[in-house]
Amino acid sequence: MGEALGDVFGLAAGVAISPLPIVAIILVLATPQGRLNGLLFALGWVVGLSALGGVMLAIGGAGGASTPTQPATWVGVLKLVLGVLLVLFGARQWRHRPKDTSQAELPKWMAAIDRFTPVKVLGLGLALSAANLKNAPLTLAAAASISSSGIPAGQQIATLAVFVIIGSLGLLAPLAVFLFMGDRAKTVLGNWKDWAVRHNVAVMAALFFVLGLKLLGNGIGILAI
């Protein structure tokens, strides 16, 4: 189990560093029902990661590991494909980055967050985790590694739970600030939001490149053995 955890830590950290979802939860917390909506957004995020990872565990469970210490070939192929996709996404993000970060804009749908119902907030959290161009490939890669590790089902579920917890820290930090810092939360979260908006594209491009290359290397390493 320790080896499986070590394999997914970096991927979980990549999921946690998600500027746009962090901006989204900060905007959600600023709504009239901020406390409820923030909890629902975080719940949707956790459910999204857990569901996507759980599906991959179920699909990959039959594949098993090639040997007790060697992941199955399909895991190498999957990581190779996901790595290529992430690198391509990173190149696209970099080409479309704003030359002046002060001119960076939020997606138009974010302007309507204050009118979202609790159900829509829950769905937003789910979508930004399970349908995110960065988070979905990383979650699939992590779950594929876990499912082919050869560890018992209970340990696979526990490892996925650790992945989800680490991958949720970026969202849980603003929520904790809102719940426990009182009046100071507005200033702190406002500063975080401004920074994330200005640097979202550059941060995402860098993460796509680094994590894509990591998956490429892992995939090639598995297939070469």
Side-chain angles (χ1 to χ4, degrees):
M1 182 175 174
E3 185 175 343
L5 283 171
D7 199 30
V8 302
F9 273 160
L11 301 176
V15 172
I17 304 172
S18 300
L20 201 60
I22 290 173
V23 171
I25 194 172
I26 291 173
L27 293 175
V28 164
L29 291 170
T31 62
Q33 292 182 290
R35 183 182 295 269
L36 172 63
N37 286 340
L39 291 171
L40 287 173
F41 185 95
L43 175 62
W45 176 274
V46 170
V47 169
L49 292 181
S50 301
L52 187 60
V55 168
M56 177 53 71
L57 284 186
I59 293 173
S66 299
T67 71
T69 59
Q70 173 63 23
T73 300
W74 69 267
V75 177
V77 174
L78 179 64
K79 288 189 172 184
L80 195 64
V81 172
L82 294 176
V84 170
L85 289 175
L86 286 177
V87 170
L88 292 175
F89 288 148
R92 183 178 182 278
Q93 287 280 97
W94 188 255
R95 285 200 311 271
H96 291 85
R97 74 191 189 282
K99 301 303 180 182
D100 182 359
T101 58
S102 65
Q103 301 300 315
E105 297 180 355
L106 292 173
K108 290 183 173 59
W109 58 264
M110 281 194 171
I113 281 182
D114 60 344
R115 300 191 296 276
F116 278 18
T117 64
V119 173
K120 284 187 177 181
V121 170
L122 178 66
L124 178 63
L126 194 154
L128 288 178
S129 61
N132 184 286
L133 288 177
K134 172 176 65 67
N135 297 340
L138 296 181
T139 302
L140 291 173
S145 293
I146 296 169
S147 69
S148 69
S149 63
I151 60 178
Q155 292 185 14
Q156 289 189 25
I157 294 172
T159 304
L160 179 63
V162 172
F163 169 85
V164 171
I165 291 170
I166 296 174
S168 301
L169 292 179
L171 271 293
L172 296 178
L175 182 60
V177 168
F178 178 83
L179 294 176
F180 299 113
M181 288 190 64
D183 294 337
R184 292 180 297 164
K186 184 176 181 180
T187 300
V188 173
L189 294 178
N191 291 336
W192 288 6
K193 178 177 75 74
D194 291 343
W195 187 93
V197 170
R198 289 196 305 271
H199 301 287
N200 170 57
V201 176
V203 170
M204 290 294 290
L207 286 173
F208 277 136
F209 276 125
V210 172
L211 295 170
L213 291 174
K214 171 182 168 58
L215 290 181
L216 274 172
N218 288 348
I220 292 171
I222 293 171
L223 295 175
I225 296 177

